[in-house]
Amino acid sequence: MNLYGRFREQLVIGQRIARTQRGQSNLILLRGPKGYGKTVLVDRIIRLARRASFDVASGRIIHYKRLLLAASLMAVSTHPQTISGSPGQAVAAPGPDLLGEALGAVLPGRRQGAARPVLIALDDVAWGDPDILAALRWLPAAPSNRPVLWLLSGTGGPTPHVLSSHPDAVCLTLGPLRRPDALRMAAGRLGGSPDVPTESLITACGGHPALLGAVLDELAACVGYRVRGGIAGLASTALPPHVVTTLLRADPRLSGPTLDLLRLVAAGQIPPQMSRLIRLPDGRAVSALGSVREATEAGVLVLDGDRLRFRHPLLNQAADLLRCERSADDGERGLLTATEQTITRLVATGLTNRQIASRVNLSPHTVNFHLRKIFQKLGVSSRVELVGTRLHLLRPAFDTDPTPPAHESRQAHAG
C-alpha cells in the first residue's frame, strides 16, 4: 500500500471507525518495514478517531499489554467449550468486564463516557510473541461494554493463518513509494521538478519514504541544488559526499554490522560469490550471511546469480565513502588536521585540486600545499598511493586479498 496520492487506506479506516461507532468491534493490522510511515498512519487514524468522539489508548504495546490479555481472557471465558469426556458441559457464568476495567485504569477521567467507542492503538507489536498470538485468536470477538477498534502496528506481520481466523479483520501493508509519488514528494521538498541527476539520487532511495526525506533534507541543508525554471538541479557536477553517504547512514533498516559489510563489499574485500561466503569459518559466515540478508531485504544489495552487487551505483559510492571515512577516522585521527582529513577524503573521491579548492573554499595553491604536507605525514608520494594507504590503515576481518595496492612511481605533486 502507498501512503502518498492514494485513498484506499482512508476509505478502509473510515469504514472501520463507522462500524465501531455502531457498536461493532473491529481489528486493523498495520505492518511494514521501519521507516515506511507506520507512525504517520497511526497518528492519522488517532486524529480521525478523536474527531469521531472516540476515547483513545495509544502507545507501545509493552505499556498496554494488559488490554490485550484482558480481552483474550474475556473471549476465552465467554465462548462455549467442550471439555474432553464431558460433551455439552455448561460453561461458568460470565465474569466482570475485564477489558472495561483495564480501560478504566488507562483512561482515567473517562468513566462518565463509558458508552463512547474506544480506539486501542498499539505500536511495536512483536507478531511472534505468544501473548500476541493468543490475543489475536480472539480479537475482535472479546465482549465489552464499549465498542472497540483495535489497531496493532509492527514490522513484518502476522502469519496468514492469523488473518484467515479473522475474515473481518483488515491488514494494511505499507510498501515502497511508486516512482511518480517519490518524484512528487521530491518536487514538494525541493520546490521544483527534479532533473535527471537528481532523479538518480531519488531512485537510489528505493521508494523508502523516511530515507528519501532524509536525503532531500541533507541536500537542502548543504544548498546542493538550485531551482531554475521550475527544475531542481544539482548545484555542482557531482553530489556532495555527505549527501551520498546519507543513502546508507539514514536507512533505518541497516544495522552497524551490515554497514560494515557494505563497506567491505564496496572495497572488494569480501568474496563476491555467495558460494564462497558460505564456506567462510562458522562465526564469520553467520555474521556475513546475516548482514547480506538484511541488506538484500532492504534492497541495497541484490543477488545476481551467485554474485553480490549493489542495486544502484550511488549505493556502491556511498559504501565506498563510508569506508574511506572509517579509515580516516581510525588511522588519521591525531595525525592529520581537520582540513587535511577533508582534503584526503575528497582526493579519495577522485576530485582534482581545483574541484577540491571550490569545495573547501581555498585556493588551488593552498590545496596543493596541504597535499604536500599530507604526503609527508603519511609517507606517500602520489595521490594513488595516498588513497591506497587510507584503504589499508585497517585490515578488515573479511579481507581475502592481502596483496597491497601497487604504488605509483611518479613523484608527489598535487596538480
Side-chain angles (χ1 to χ4, degrees), residues 56 63 67 81 105 125 135 153 198 200 214 216 234 272 290-291 311 404:
V56 175
H63 302 304
L67 300 178
Q81 303 286 335
V125 173
S153 170
T198 312
S200 179
L216 294 174
L234 298 181
S291 294
R311 176 183 55 80

Side-chain angles (χ1 to χ4, degrees), residues 288-349:
L289 293 173
S291 294
V292 167
R293 183 188 63 186
E294 184 175 285
T296 52
E297 287 177 350
V300 174
L301 293 178
V302 295
L303 284 173
D304 186 2
D306 185 42
R307 298 186 69 84
L308 204 59
R309 63 176 178 83
F310 284 90
R311 176 183 55 80
H312 193 280
L314 280 178
L315 296 172
N316 188 101
Q317 183 182 346
D320 197 48
L321 288 170
L322 289 176
R323 176 180 55 82
C324 292
E325 288 181 7
R326 170 67 65 85
S327 296
D329 289 342
D330 291 329
E332 296 167 9
R333 187 180 293 116
L335 181 61
L336 302 182
T337 67
T339 299
E340 290 168 348
Q341 291 182 31
T342 299
I343 290 174
T344 304
R345 285 195 294 269
L346 293 175
V347 168
T349 66

Side-chain angles (χ1 to χ4, degrees), residues 177-187 190 192-208 211-212 215-216 219 232 239 247 311-312 314:
L177 296 174
R178 285 183 285 274
R179 182 175 178 80
D181 295 315
L183 292 176
R184 278 196 292 271
M185 177 179 172
L190 301 177
S193 299
D195 65 359
V196 173
T198 312
E199 277 193 34
S200 179
L201 179 65
I202 295 166
T203 301
C205 294
H208 191 295
L211 178 59
L212 177 57
V215 169
L216 294 174
L219 186 63
L239 282 165
L247 288 168
R311 176 183 55 80
H312 193 280
L314 280 178

Side-chain angles (χ1 to χ4, degrees), residues 22-355:
R22 294 195 297 268
Q24 300 171 282
S25 293
N26 287 275
L27 174 62
I28 297 176
L29 304 177
L30 178 60
R31 56 185 182 174
K34 292 180 180 178
Y36 270 63
K38 291 190 300 298
T39 300
V40 173
L41 186 52
V42 169
D43 290 343
R44 184 188 304 172
I45 295 172
I46 289 173
R47 289 196 299 270
L48 289 172
R50 283 183 170 142
R51 284 203 294 266
S53 299
F54 276 61
D55 289 335
V56 175
S58 65
R60 297 181 61 199
I61 195 166
I62 191 173
H63 302 304
Y64 292 94
K65 209 170 188 180
R66 72 171 84 175
L67 300 178
L68 279 178
L69 296 176
S72 57
L73 280 170
M74 288 186 62
V76 170
S77 64
T78 55
H79 276 65
Q81 303 286 335
T82 300
I83 301 176
S84 179
S86 306
Q89 180 170 329
V91 180
D97 181 1
L98 297 179
L99 180 56
E101 293 290 335
L103 284 170
V106 300
L107 295 172
R110 295 291 189 182
R111 296 179 184 276
Q112 294 180 350
R116 288 159 57 106
V118 59
L119 167 66
I120 302 177
L122 306 180
D123 200 5
D124 291 336
V125 173
W127 303 106
D129 185 329
D131 290 333
I132 304 299
L133 292 173
L136 286 175
R137 287 185 58 199
W138 302 106
L139 298 178
S144 174
N145 294 329
R146 307 179 67 173
V148 177
L149 173 58
W150 294 90
L151 171 62
L152 305 184
S153 170
T155 58
T159 56
H161 80 272
V162 170
L163 297 178
S164 63
S165 66
H166 293 296
D168 203 35
V170 173
C171 183
L172 302 179
T173 302
L174 304 184
L177 296 174
R178 285 183 285 274
R179 182 175 178 80
D181 295 315
L183 292 176
R184 278 196 292 271
M185 177 179 172
R189 293 284 188 97
L190 301 177
S193 299
D195 65 359
V196 173
T198 312
E199 277 193 34
S200 179
L201 179 65
I202 295 166
T203 301
C205 294
H208 191 295
L211 178 59
L212 177 57
V215 169
L216 294 174
D217 288 346
E218 190 67 32
L219 186 63
C222 70
V223 196
Y225 72 97
R226 296 190 182 96
V227 179
R228 293 190 180 95
I231 302 298
L234 298 181
S236 64
T237 56
L239 282 165
H242 56 281
V243 173
V244 177
T245 56
T246 303
L247 288 168
L248 297 181
R249 274 205 181 105
D251 194 326
R253 300 163 296 179
L254 302 179
S255 63
T258 298
L259 288 176
D260 288 338
L261 177 128
L262 294 175
R263 294 184 184 102
L264 299 179
V265 172
Q269 293 175 325
I270 64 170
Q273 293 85 10
M274 291 300 296
S275 55
R276 291 183 61 192
L277 269 181
I278 204 100
R279 292 197 297 269
L280 289 171
D282 283 349
R284 290 167 61 188
V286 169
S287 174
L289 293 173
S291 294
V292 167
R293 183 188 63 186
E294 184 175 285
T296 52
E297 287 177 350
V300 174
L301 293 178
V302 295
L303 284 173
D304 186 2
D306 185 42
R307 298 186 69 84
L308 204 59
R309 63 176 178 83
F310 284 90
R311 176 183 55 80
H312 193 280
L314 280 178
L315 296 172
N316 188 101
Q317 183 182 346
D320 197 48
L321 288 170
L322 289 176
R323 176 180 55 82
C324 292
E325 288 181 7
R326 170 67 65 85
S327 296
D329 289 342
D330 291 329
E332 296 167 9
R333 187 180 293 116
L335 181 61
L336 302 182
T337 67
T339 299
E340 290 168 348
Q341 291 182 31
T342 299
I343 290 174
T344 304
R345 285 195 294 269
L346 293 175
V347 168
T349 66
L351 298 183
T352 66
N353 280 8
R354 194 170 297 279
Q355 291 170 326

